Amino acid sequence: MVNTITIQEFLQRAKQLPVLDVRAPKEYEAGHIPAAHSFPIFDDQQRALVGTAYKQQGHDPAVLLGLDLFGPRMSGFVKEAGKLAKDKELLVHCWRGGMRSSAMAWLLNFSGFKVHLLEGGYKTYRHLMLEQFSKPRKLLILGGLTGSGKTDLLPYLQQLGQQTIDLEALANHKGSAFGNIGMPPQPSTEHFENMLGIQLLQSDTEQPLWLEDESKTIGKVVMPIQLHEQMQNAPAIVINPPKKLRIYKLAQEYCQTDKAILEAAILKIKKRLGGLATKEALIAIAEGDMEKMVEIALSYYDKAYHFDLAKRQHVLALELAGIEPEENAAQVVQFAKQNNLL
């Protein structure tokens, strides 16, 4: 017997059981439940054929075509499911909890698996994720100029008992023209929302949540509007280590990077830097003078950050002597407590 369950129970069970997403590969790639395995009942071309048959010929011919495509692959599906679910218990979903997931659930149940089917499918999951971004939260924003080491502080804040979410880690981008260097490909905005939504769902809304200050986009990923508005209105602690340490830190990060990648990053901000500064930055890259290149780039990024910071209502500046993340995280927590933010 197939057990149909709510999204809340589905996510709870997904902590222990494999999740099979039976949508087409393109659907999965656009966004999926983070724990899910791609287990398509149809490939992209087959899905298009069935969809066309439904529109042109109606329900019954589309079902028959689907069965023709599904039938020869049944044994393969059962074998693959067995590799993923050693105890023969698993979770299944499609887009709306319709024919695709029902067919897969029937097959696996018939083959001896205990199957839990998501009521409403992935669409229900998306609704739950989107709800997370408009929930009121006690946000604390960690700000700072480029190279101040904000991201590095987050794991140490966690060690000090603070709730944090690393937005840049989820987006696979550090938020500047140089932000994709050394990072994996970025997820789609939809999948970024899925990963972020899960972390928000698991957080305690009664306790402060630290987020790094971000613009409306992180690389090509777009921040959820409702959450970003909350972030803009939340108190921000802006850390400020000495500029020479910021330059040194960034120069060390980029010194092993291919020069062509750095040149491309500088050219992305050419209009903002101006012709002369761009030329000087490119010469510095060619000569391997990364500190000079970073100093030139920061002339733009520092000005842009101060411009954005001026839009905030509640900003607290914290001067730091060094850039060591564990020590700075402790100072940030102490500073937040002194200012009645914790």
Side-chain angles (χ1 to χ4, degrees), residues 88-227:
K88 302 199 78 172
E89 183 176 5
L90 42 72
L91 303 153
V92 173
H93 77 84
C94 63
W95 166 236
R96 285 181 297 196
M99 287 188 289
R100 287 183 290 179
S101 57
S102 296
M104 186 64 75
W106 168 83
L107 171 64
L108 296 177
N109 178 68
F110 179 77
S111 304
F113 289 83
K114 185 175 182 180
V115 182
H116 306 282
L117 185 63
L118 174 58
E119 182 181 9
Y122 175 74
K123 188 175 181 181
T124 299
Y125 170 80
R126 281 292 293 163
H127 284 163
L128 181 63
M129 294 302 99
L130 295 175
E131 286 173 8
Q132 304 311 308
F133 306 134
S134 56
K135 281 186 177 179
R137 298 179 186 277
K138 297 179 179 179
L139 298 181
L140 289 176
I141 305 304
L142 183 61
L145 296 164
T146 302
S148 58
K150 303 181 294 294
T151 307
D152 298 338
L153 266 63
L154 296 178
Y156 292 103
L157 288 174
Q158 282 190 334
Q159 289 181 18
L160 293 169
Q162 302 298 307
Q163 289 189 121
T164 71
I165 295 178
D166 189 339
L167 297 171
E168 294 183 355
L170 296 180
N172 289 340
H173 201 281
K174 297 175 184 176
S176 71
F178 299 81
N180 64 335
I181 293 175
M183 302 292 281
Q186 286 198 268
S188 67
T189 292
E190 180 178 316
H191 193 55
F192 170 79
E193 290 175 345
N194 288 345
M195 294 185 288
L196 174 56
I198 283 288
Q199 292 202 23
L200 289 171
L201 184 66
Q202 294 169 347
S203 69
D204 183 350
T205 55
E206 297 301 312
Q207 298 299 319
L209 172 64
W210 292 85
L211 298 175
E212 187 177 343
D213 195 7
E214 300 290 350
S215 62
K216 292 180 180 179
T217 59
I218 309 175
K220 69 176 184 179
V221 165
V222 180
M223 285 285 294
I225 294 173
Q226 302 96 324
L227 179 63

Side-chain angles (χ1 to χ4, degrees), residues 55-68:
K55 289 178 182 177
Q56 296 180 352
Q57 303 171 49
H59 175 273
D60 291 351
V63 169
L64 290 174
L65 175 59
L67 289 172
D68 286 340

Side-chain angles (χ1 to χ4, degrees), residues 37-61:
H37 299 273
S38 181
F39 203 82
I41 195 168
F42 302 130
D43 61 27
D44 295 322
Q45 185 178 8
Q46 290 170 337
R47 175 179 174 248
L49 288 172
V50 173
T52 300
Y54 185 84
K55 289 178 182 177
Q56 296 180 352
Q57 303 171 49
H59 175 273
D60 291 351

Side-chain angles (χ1 to χ4, degrees), residues 5 22 62 70 90 100 111 156-157 161 165 176 188 192 231 270 287 318 324 326 333:
I5 58 177
V22 304
F70 181 51
L90 42 72
R100 287 183 290 179
S111 304
Y156 292 103
L157 288 174
I165 295 178
S176 71
S188 67
F192 170 79
M231 291 171 65
K270 178 180 179 179
E287 294 176 348
L318 175 59
E324 202 284 315
E326 185 173 8
V333 170

Side-chain angles (χ1 to χ4, degrees), residues 304-315:
Y305 187 71
H306 283 301
F307 178 80
D308 288 337
L309 197 62
K311 301 174 187 177
R312 288 189 168 276
Q313 299 298 314
H314 192 176
V315 176

